[in-house]
Amino acid sequence: MKRITRKLLACLLMIGFLAGSLWTSGSTARADEASEDVISITYNTHVQTYAWFNTPATDGEFSGTHGKAKRMEAIIINVTKNGEPLTGCLRYRAHVQTFGWQDWVTDGEMCGTTGLAKRLEGIQIELTGELAEKYDVYYRVHGQTYGWLGWAKNGTCAGSEGRAKRLEGIQIVIVKKGTTPYVPTYDALAGIDTNAVLTLDYSFVSPNGNTPSALNVDGTPTEYNDITVPDNNSVPQGGSAAGQDIVEYARQYKGIVPYVYAGTSLTEGTDCSGFVRLIYAAKGITLPGNDNWEDPDVYKNIGTLVGTDSAMAQPGDLVVTSGHAAIATGNSNAISQLNSRQSVQEHPIRSDYMNGSDWVIIRPFQLSK
């Protein structure tokens, strides 16, 4: 009886030990599973006309608009860490029309502006702390004129600056280091197509042309060449005498007017719209206070719409987009205040200088007589 009791007791102890081991193993597995971080990202964009969208995009989904010529004005990004918390956060900043690069903001804070009609032109997104040690953040933007740019990664710049090109849409995704998963990509015709692989590509459009350039570590382009502009000081034939007079008056300021945002002086400085406004004002043409001169509700008070074919522009015509304004000089050229590096220059009317998707030519009433 004692032998049976001892054997039974030994069996019970063994069973208890095995059960405990299994419980401990299961608990450890569950703990490991719980501590396996599942990182997700959500983001919402503030877009011209639409404001904030009702539903944020998540994990690579598209946020913004496509084919509507609407600028992204602001963005809010949030990272959710499910499971055992990791140190670090996601931070981001944007290059904003007029203001340049803003300060860095973190999870849930707004980047950009609202109510100021300013476009986002570039964006940088990066992780910090343990998040950065375990994960990579990829992002790509749909830019005016250029369409989809390649995927940027971990703080490199996506978009452009100094090109007066708006960001129209964005995708963002966080992945574990060493992985290249499939992610959603947006196609205007097919909608969401999940058959795309994350691959790092150059994603910054340099100010000297349409071709993306290599990036430095800080996300700036390695090349920064001046824009080539035509050397043509002769007044083209055609157009009204008043239009040719406007061109001659504007040309005397080539290269000598400093670029100053909202500047109102041909000696102390102007921006692109200020230069156009002052040149016309000197010749008796007053432009509306609203700089959205390409809007039909605005340009009907300026003159007549000529079209979008640069060959149709006569000297003195107003050439304008949502991001730039110039005065036509003839022969498909125009003169405008370009930027702080070049000041006022004469240049071709093409997508490199004017926003090829939506620029228009307007002939002021005084020039139509």
Side-chain angles (χ1 to χ4, degrees), residues 39-41 77-81 85-92 104-109 124-137 154-155 174:
I39 306 300
S40 62
I41 188 167
I77 309 174
N78 284 284
V79 169
T80 301
K81 296 179 284 186
L86 292 173
T87 64
C89 65
L90 179 140
R91 68 176 200 156
Y92 47 102
W104 292 92
V105 299
T106 56
D107 301 325
E109 296 180 329
Q124 293 175 278
I125 308 173
E126 65 181 22
L127 301 170
T128 65
E130 292 177 346
L131 274 177
E133 295 173 4
K134 294 186 63 174
Y135 292 90
D136 292 318
V137 57
N154 296 342
I174 293 181

Side-chain angles (χ1 to χ4, degrees), residues 58-340:
T58 303
D59 297 329
E61 292 178 343
F62 176 79
S63 181
T65 60
H66 188 284
K68 298 181 182 297
K70 300 298 182 182
R71 63 181 174 268
M72 283 173 50
E73 298 178 338
I75 186 170
I76 295 176
I77 309 174
N78 284 284
V79 169
T80 301
K81 296 179 284 186
N82 302 312
E84 188 71 20
L86 292 173
T87 64
C89 65
L90 179 140
R91 68 176 200 156
Y92 47 102
R93 67 172 183 165
H95 189 278
V96 180
Q97 175 187 357
T98 303
F99 303 116
W101 284 108
Q102 293 184 318
D103 293 334
W104 292 92
V105 299
T106 56
D107 301 325
E109 296 180 329
M110 189 189 82
C111 179
T113 63
T114 60
L116 299 179
K118 300 297 181 184
R119 63 182 172 269
L120 298 188
E121 299 177 337
I123 190 167
Q124 293 175 278
I125 308 173
E126 65 181 22
L127 301 170
T128 65
E130 292 177 346
L131 274 177
E133 295 173 4
K134 294 186 63 174
Y135 292 90
D136 292 318
V137 57
Y138 284 82
Y139 44 100
R140 71 169 187 164
V141 296
H142 189 279
Q144 178 183 357
T145 303
Y146 308 112
W148 281 113
L149 298 176
W151 289 95
K153 177 184 178 183
N154 296 342
T156 56
C157 179
S160 63
E161 64 176 284
R163 301 290 300 161
K165 302 296 183 183
R166 62 179 174 266
L167 302 189
E168 299 176 339
I170 191 169
Q171 292 176 272
I172 312 172
V173 64
I174 293 181
V175 300
K176 284 188 176 181
K177 284 190 177 297
T179 61
T180 54
Y182 287 91
V183 293
T185 58
Y186 186 81
D187 183 276
L189 299 178
I192 297 297
D193 175 13
T194 58
N195 191 27
V197 179
L198 268 179
T199 55
L200 182 61
D201 194 3
Y202 293 138
S203 59
F204 183 90
V205 177
S206 64
N208 64 310
N210 292 342
T211 304
S213 66
L215 302 179
N216 294 320
V217 175
D218 63 357
T220 59
T222 58
E223 298 178 358
Y224 197 85
N225 301 324
D226 287 340
I227 298 173
T228 302
V229 296
D231 183 13
N232 178 12
N233 291 317
S234 62
V235 178
Q237 298 299 313
S240 66
Q244 294 174 353
D245 183 45
I246 290 172
V247 170
E248 283 299 321
Y249 183 73
R251 279 177 171 155
Q252 68 179 312
Y253 294 101
K254 287 172 62 174
I256 64 173
V257 181
Y259 184 93
V260 176
Y261 173 69
T264 58
S265 170
L266 290 172
T267 56
E268 297 182 4
T270 70
D271 56 13
C272 63
S273 61
F275 176 75
V276 169
R277 194 187 302 275
L278 289 169
I279 295 297
Y280 277 131
K283 297 300 178 179
I285 298 174
T286 301
L287 296 179
N290 185 347
D291 288 353
N292 294 327
W293 297 321
E294 80 284 0
D295 189 321
D297 291 334
V298 178
Y299 70 63
K300 68 182 181 181
N301 296 319
I302 301 173
T304 58
L305 175 64
V306 175
T308 60
D309 184 354
S310 61
M312 300 173 65
Q314 295 183 1
D317 287 348
L318 173 63
V319 185
V320 65
T321 77
S322 59
H324 196 59
I327 297 172
T329 59
N331 295 333
S332 296
N333 292 330
I335 187 169
S336 70
Q337 174 68 277
L338 284 174
N339 50 50
S340 59

